[in-house]
């Protein structure tokens, strides 16, 4: 991944793995890209917050619901953080369903900016 151009999504993903001491796990690459796009950390409460963000973004499955329920029960002190993450997901363009493999060579900031906007502004 570190062979990609320095501003690309692929390079940022490689740097993310190196920084955290992670290795690629098959079928988890999109999850890791979600961390990059959203700025969510990798500790336990941040992982739960990312599930709330994904719920706000339109994703819904058993794993996500289980993480949200469990996280809400065992870490109620992060309720405000979870609510903010949910709102952040609602305010972003839907990305939870995208396979990012074909975008690894694209400019990371452009991808991030695209998904941060709910709708593309029209300038006249």
């Amino acid at each position: 991944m570190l062979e990609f151009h320095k501003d690309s999504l692929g390079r940022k993903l490689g740097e993310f793995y190196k920084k955290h001491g992670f290795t690629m796990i098959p079928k988890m690459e999109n999850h890791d890209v979600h961390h990059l796009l959203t700025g969510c950390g990798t500790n336990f409460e941040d992982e739960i917050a990312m599930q709330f963000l994904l719920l706000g973004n339109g994703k819904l499955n058993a794993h996500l619901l289980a993480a949200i329920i469990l996280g809400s029960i065992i870490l109620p002190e992060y309720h405000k953080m979870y609510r903010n993450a949910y709102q952040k997901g609602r305010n972003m363009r839907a990305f939870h369903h995208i396979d990012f493999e074909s975008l690894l060579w694209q400019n990371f900031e452009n991808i991030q900016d695209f998904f941060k906007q709910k709708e593309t502004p029209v300038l006249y």
Side-chain angles (χ1 to χ4, degrees):
M1 298 303 258
L2 295 173
E3 299 287 323
F4 280 92
H5 187 270
K6 69 176 185 164
D7 295 327
S8 69
L9 172 60
R11 177 66 172 260
K12 297 295 182 187
L13 188 57
E15 291 169 356
F16 174 82
Y17 289 141
K18 185 176 180 178
K19 175 183 176 185
H20 295 288
F22 296 160
T23 57
M24 288 182 65
I25 299 172
K27 303 190 189 243
M28 290 298 291
E29 299 88 358
N30 282 336
H31 176 85
D32 297 330
V33 171
H34 294 167
H35 279 285
L36 291 173
L37 288 178
T38 63
C40 287
T42 58
N43 58 31
F44 188 75
E45 60 271 11
D46 289 334
E47 288 285 352
I48 301 302
M50 190 164 74
Q51 298 306 312
F52 273 92
L53 188 147
L54 291 170
L55 179 65
N57 196 247
K59 184 174 182 176
L60 186 61
N61 63 37
H63 173 266
L64 178 137
L65 290 176
I68 285 173
I69 292 167
L70 179 63
S72 297
I73 292 170
I74 64 173
L75 295 171
E77 64 271 22
Y78 292 100
H79 175 75
K80 184 176 179 181
M81 180 174 134
Y82 298 155
R83 186 179 63 237
N84 291 340
Y86 176 81
Q87 278 305 123
K88 182 176 180 178
R90 286 186 51 86
N91 292 329
M92 293 178 77
R93 190 181 304 260
F95 65 87
H96 65 87
H97 62 288
I98 303 218
D99 181 2
F100 287 96
E101 185 176 359
S102 64
L103 299 176
L104 291 175
W105 61 275
Q106 294 285 334
N107 180 280
F108 172 70
E109 288 184 13
N110 291 345
I111 294 170
Q112 192 176 40
D113 288 344
F114 177 79
F115 289 109
K116 281 184 179 179
Q117 301 174 24
K118 187 76 170 184
E119 293 182 29
T120 305
V122 178
L123 304 174
Y124 294 97

